[in-house]
Amino acid sequence: MGSAALSAAAKSIRDWSVTEGRTNTLPAKVTDSFGSLVFNDKVQQERLPKPAYRALRATITRGEALDLSTADAVATALKDWAVEHGATHYTHWFSPLTGITAEKHDSFLTPASDGTALAEFRGKELIKGEPDASSFPSGGMRSTFEARGYTAWDPTSPPWLHVASNNVTLVIPTAFVSWTGEALDKKTPLLRSMEAVSKQAVRVLKLFGSTAERVFSTCGPEQEYFLIDRNFYFARPDLINAGRTLFGAKPPKGQEMEDQYFGSIPERVLACMAEAELELFKVGVPVKTRHNEVAPSQYEIAPIFENANVAADHQMMTMGTIKRVAAKYGLEALMHEKPFAGVNGSGKHNNWSLSDEFGNNLLGPGDTPHDNMQFLVFAAAVLRGVDRWQGLLRATIASAGNDHRLGANEAPPAILSIFLGDQLTDIFEQIEKGSAKSTKQGGTLDVGVSVLPKLPRDAGDRNRTSPFAFTGNKFEFRAVSSGQNIAWPNTALNAAMADALDSVATELEGAVAKGQELNKAVATLLTKLIKEHKRIIFNGNGYSAEWEKEAGKRKLLNLKNTVDALPELVTPAVLKMMDKYKVLNDREMHARYEIFLENYNKTVNVEGQLMVLMANRYILPAALEYQTQIGQSVAAVKAGGASAPQAKKLLGRYTKLVDKFKSQTDALEGVLDHSGGSAEKHAKYMRDKVIPAMNKLRELGDEIEVLTPHAIWPLPTYREMLFVK
Ligand code: ADP
Ligand code: MG
């Protein structure tokens, strides 16, 4: 079977290079295609009546409310534009708490009395949709008698056209809320958190003389993923149903040769990437970089950063597009955090910063001392935000999938800490002691704190092991997982930052009101913030055992798995903070806690069931077949009057192994049969009983694999999946 998939893979590579590879024409000028399927600013300007255009821009840039007459005008222009491009349907696109995106398509067509049809789309249809929401998780926020949920147009994220083989659909990004207005999705809290952080950041900026009225959180997510031949994918029930391999022995060659990272990209893969990127360009996703990642068959794609809300939508579109286009090239894109044991998993590096409405990056050390002072205040606020809300941040990246990755010596540890780099750390240390006089590189700096050191733009050093690293002009939250919607960790980051900036602003405003010079007030504040929060700074090796010990001494949280991390969502302090900044209320937070816990339980259960299925219906039959073969061989030799001690030994070993395998399969099946108790209790049970039973079964299965002839092994192997490209 393994061989059948292998020849099919070989054939698909050959077919591709003979047909597709040759006939593929080069795309048109890339600048012409960028945004060609987006109802962007340019199209809006061309197609909207002036007042409607101005009102829409005011909503997008200043968050002003939008009235129905504007919505009507936008709807008409949007529909005309879409229909001209061949669209027949529109959809309200949203991100429910399940983690994927959801959509329901409606036709523009309305029958007319004379038997023909008109294309119609009104403001109220643009503003509000009513999907049959009863089967989306709501964590109890929607009782069954009021099962309705609404999708609400998000005018700040531009609509685009989804072009598929024979259909074009207008996609409208929306928020998804319950009938009582509670957030049932990932977008709503992100938008609320952006409001919150904007408000507090503006207060701080004002102190420094800025006239900015809005601040945006910006985000540039780097996506890691695997591409494997689809023939292998289809032959692996675990990949199809769990997104990761549940069995599979490590290949003789893994990633130890270190010949993959930044290596040349195989032709079929490159063609696939190029097409995916072109598709993304058309829908306005500013994809920038592509390269090979560390593991075999692992790649990365990264865009230019955008405002976090648009970036989050674009990130979902990126994942969807890669998956869709990959299929056309006979490839399957795996976005799971750990599709293959023993080789690196996939993460999403979430580059994050704040920018004012004029485009000034608030976490970029500027050119003047004045900017530097402001920068240091914002950077210190990050220390406070991340330290104070480390539990919340940790919880927003917790999932059964990410549990395989965090702390696994390839990904950041589960302990949250900040890498600042030597230089910035040094400056903060000097400030803590009184004032910063110099940067580490030398160069005297007069810093009675009225003139803080001029900071270089480049952080200089890098650290791959930190979960949260300063990279010169932004922070990179690296513990985010490959498969997740980035809206959620960014929501937490913004909220944490809103809280930190609130306290910073209050303190500075108070001091200034008392007649203190801003410089002095900043100096006092920075010293205090650094004293209180320097424990979160760690520039060393995050993979080391010493760090875990040291972090313990510093009393940093070390929440090793999802079950430990999720309760952080509902601690009294977190609930209070999230409610105070109107990001999510008590019920909304509890709902998320329940849904994510449930999701963990379901994931582990599905994986466990799949293992039992694969053990009984794939591995065991093959193993028994081989066992019989060895047995027959030994018997034949014996009947011939000779002896075969090694074959006999093999028979003994193999038989014992297969026997153990079968009893462990039954044991796993046994522990999976568990119910009752709260979701929390069940989750602990999954973690403590089911996962260890799964690990044990896998070990035995992988041991059998390496002893079993390839010709009868029923599953594509790691060697095939990772190296046949
Ligand atoms: P690095 O080499 O540090 O990874 P890159 O310049 O390649 O840096 O950027 C990585 C990602 O960070 C890109 O997606 C980029 O757009 C994003 N990025 C750069 N500046 C910012 C910013 N101010 N806010 C958010 N993301 C940013
Ligand atoms: Mg990076």
Side-chain angles (χ1 to χ4, degrees):
M1 176 61 209
S3 316
L6 182 60
S7 21
K11 180 172 179 327
S12 89
I13 296 169
R14 192 181 61 233
D15 289 354
W16 172 77
S17 53
V18 181
T19 54
E20 290 294 325
R22 263 210 223 135
T23 54
N24 246 2
T25 47
L26 287 174
K29 212 167 114 195
V30 66
T31 42
D32 292 342
S33 28
F34 189 84
S36 60
L37 298 176
V38 187
F39 192 70
N40 55 21
D41 190 18
K42 179 161 170 278
V43 182
Q44 291 167 15
Q45 234 172 110
E46 284 163 8
R47 292 188 169 250
L48 287 174
K50 283 252 146 52
Y53 173 74
R54 274 196 298 269
L56 180 58
R57 288 323 290 175
T59 300
I60 294 168
T61 55
R62 296 197 295 277
E64 283 173 21
L66 210 136
D67 59 39
L68 192 60
S69 71
T70 305
D72 273 328
V74 176
T76 304
L78 196 51
K79 182 246 326 171
D80 290 345
W81 171 79
V83 170
E84 278 168 36
H85 282 79
T88 52
H89 287 67
Y90 68 92
T91 181
H92 276 202
W93 184 69
F94 58 102
S95 327
L97 293 166
T98 42
I100 45 166
T101 54
E103 52 198 75
K104 173 189 162 218
H105 297 200
D106 282 296
S107 160
F108 285 120
L109 288 189
T110 311
S113 53
D114 62 358
T116 58
L118 299 168
E120 268 195 342
F121 187 53
R122 281 181 301 261
K124 65 180 208 313
E125 288 154 323
L126 168 63
I127 291 180
K128 196 176 92 178
E130 219 177 299
D132 178 13
S134 50
S135 36
F136 292 106
S138 76
M141 279 184 293
R142 232 181 23 229
S143 47
T144 35
F145 61 88
E146 44 183 52
R148 263 181 294 191
Y150 296 103
T151 49
W153 175 38
D154 168 17
T156 61
S157 183
W160 81 96
L161 296 170
H162 177 84
V163 181
S165 39
N166 66 350
N167 56 82
V168 180
T169 306
L170 170 67
V171 184
I172 303 163
T174 58
F176 182 42
V177 293
S178 77
W179 129 265
T180 46
E182 278 161 327
L184 297 171
D185 68 345
K186 306 242 166 98
K187 182 191 270 285
T188 309
L190 175 62
L191 287 169
R192 291 178 186 160
S193 75
M194 287 175 71
E195 286 280 337
V197 75
S198 172
K199 210 161 135 191
Q200 303 306 328
V202 164
R203 280 175 66 200
V204 176
L205 285 180
K206 210 165 242 143
L207 288 158
F208 290 96
S210 163
T211 57
E213 284 172 27
R214 266 183 100 71
V215 164
F216 294 91
S217 66
T218 53
C219 178
E222 303 165 50
Q223 171 79 45
E224 293 175 338
Y225 61 100
F226 283 82
L227 284 175
I228 64 164
D229 193 282
R230 283 199 118 187
N231 293 292
F232 299 136
Y233 173 79
F234 288 135
R236 300 269 334 193
D238 43 5
L239 283 180
I240 294 177
N241 288 319
R244 74 177 181 103
T245 53
L246 299 166
F247 289 101
K250 219 174 156 269
K253 177 180 190 284
Q255 61 189 54
E256 53 279 273
M257 305 296 277
E258 296 174 338
D259 53 359
Q260 157 79 9
Y261 191 58
F262 276 29
S264 71
I265 302 171
E267 181 154 353
R268 178 167 59 144
V269 170
L270 183 58
C272 165
M273 282 177 172
E275 182 168 338
E277 287 167 12
L278 186 65
E279 292 298 307
L280 288 165
F281 282 158
K282 288 185 199 159
V283 292
V285 180
V287 179
K288 180 80 175 162
T289 58
R290 57 163 98 115
H291 62 79
N292 275 5
E293 261 300 329
V294 173
S297 288
Q298 192 187 28
Y299 309 95
E300 182 185 293
I301 181 170
I304 294 171
F305 70 94
E306 302 177 276
N307 107 39
N309 175 43
V310 175
D313 283 350
H314 281 173
Q315 223 288 309
M316 297 308 280
M317 288 155 71
T318 301
M319 292 199 282
T321 303
I322 293 175
K323 275 197 162 291
R324 205 159 36 80
V325 173
K328 285 169 71 175
Y329 288 82
L331 296 165
E332 184 66 32
L334 307 175
M335 307 278 175
H336 192 279
E337 292 74 19
K338 194 80 178 175
F340 304 99
V343 296
N344 273 14
S346 299
K348 195 132 60 191
H349 291 178
N350 187 81
N351 294 273
W352 171 93
S353 187
L354 294 172
S355 162
D356 70 12
E357 68 200 75
F358 313 116
N360 299 310
N361 179 6
L362 306 182
L363 291 170
D367 291 324
T368 63
H370 168 91
D371 289 339
N372 273 330
M373 181 159 77
Q374 183 186 302
F375 161 75
L376 286 173
V377 168
F378 276 92
V382 175
L383 297 185
R384 180 182 163 93
V386 174
D387 183 24
R388 179 84 188 73
W389 304 109
Q390 47 180 292
L392 169 65
L393 287 166
R394 169 66 184 90
T396 59
I397 50 160
S399 66
N402 221 14
D403 280 358
H404 297 288
R405 193 180 150 253
L406 296 182
N409 245 8
E410 50 153 296
I415 308 161
L416 226 50
S417 67
I418 298 181
F419 169 83
L420 275 186
D422 287 347
Q423 219 161 30
L424 204 50
T425 305
D426 179 58
I427 286 164
F428 274 131
E429 275 167 5
Q430 291 183 53
I431 293 172
E432 188 195 352
K433 287 185 202 121
S435 68
K437 293 257 195 282
S438 66
T439 66
K440 244 193 159 174
Q441 265 76 347
T444 327
L445 292 148
D446 175 19
V447 194
V449 151
S450 55
V451 197
L452 285 159
K454 187 170 165 187
L455 301 165
R457 281 186 180 280
D458 196 358
D461 42 2
R462 295 225 149 205
N463 177 315
R464 297 196 133 258
T465 67
S466 173
F468 203 90
F470 181 65
T471 47
N473 57 0
K474 61 190 182 287
F475 283 88
E476 192 170 327
F477 191 7
R478 300 215 186 98
V480 176
S481 80
S482 55
Q484 85 176 114
N485 185 332
I486 56 166
W488 187 222
N490 280 297
T491 299
L493 253 176
N494 292 336
M497 208 43 196
D499 177 64
L501 289 169
D502 184 3
S503 78
V504 163
T506 303
E507 198 140 325
L508 292 179
E509 283 163 358
V512 170
K514 276 192 223 134
Q516 210 183 84
E517 242 179 80
L518 181 64
N519 290 342
K520 296 253 167 61
V522 167
T524 314
L525 172 82
L526 287 179
T527 311
K528 192 178 118 190
L529 282 180
I530 292 155
K531 277 208 168 80
E532 275 172 20
H533 301 293
K534 67 178 174 195
R535 66 169 184 162
I536 197 78
I537 303 171
F538 177 64
N539 294 330
N541 178 6
Y543 297 171
S544 67
E546 296 87 75
W547 168 232
E548 223 182 305
K549 242 197 241 152
E550 167 66 20
K553 275 193 217 141
R554 296 188 192 183
K555 298 207 162 42
L556 293 173
L557 291 173
N558 186 1
L559 306 165
K560 292 192 182 187
N561 50 64
T562 302
V563 184
D564 288 344
L566 283 180
E568 292 293 320
L569 293 178
V570 290
T571 63
V574 166
L575 290 175
K576 201 169 146 206
M577 188 275 279
M578 293 296 266
D579 189 53
K580 179 173 174 193
Y581 296 104
K582 300 201 164 44
V583 177
L584 287 166
N585 66 27
D586 215 290
R587 259 161 63 89
E588 291 170 319
M589 285 302 279
H590 272 102
R592 275 156 186 76
Y593 172 56
E594 275 170 40
I595 291 167
F596 300 149
L597 201 61
E598 188 72 7
N599 191 281
Y600 175 86
N601 288 341
K602 283 181 184 161
T603 304
V604 179
N605 181 52
V606 166
E607 290 185 352
Q609 303 286 355
L610 263 171
M611 283 192 90
V612 172
L613 178 153
M614 289 171 75
N616 283 331
R617 295 168 60 186
Y618 287 69
I619 297 175
L620 205 61
L624 291 176
E625 191 181 326
Y626 183 45
Q627 186 177 296
T628 309
Q629 281 178 20
I630 320 171
Q632 283 169 348
S633 158
V634 170
V637 171
K638 198 175 166 196
S643 83
Q646 293 305 325
K648 249 174 106 178
K649 219 163 116 191
L650 174 64
L651 180 62
R653 178 181 166 199
Y654 199 79
T655 309
K656 220 160 133 193
L657 191 57
V658 172
D659 214 54
K660 260 179 152 171
F661 181 74
K662 178 56 182 156
S663 52
Q664 185 57 28
T665 303
D666 295 344
L668 174 59
E669 195 172 5
V671 286
L672 278 167
D673 187 19
H674 173 266
S675 64
S678 62
E680 283 95 340
K681 274 209 185 116
H682 194 53
K684 282 187 182 140
Y685 177 87
M686 288 308 212
R687 179 192 63 189
D688 301 334
K689 293 280 185 301
V690 174
I691 290 179
M694 285 167 61
N695 292 342
K696 214 161 146 193
L697 182 62
R698 178 179 185 138
E699 232 170 80
L700 294 166
D702 293 356
E703 215 179 318
I704 293 177
E705 181 187 328
V706 296
L707 292 174
T708 307
H710 186 252
I712 60 169
W713 190 249
L715 300 162
T717 63
Y718 271 33
R719 196 172 48 78
E720 293 165 319
M721 289 186 283
L722 291 169
F723 292 96
V724 177
K725 315 176 191 185

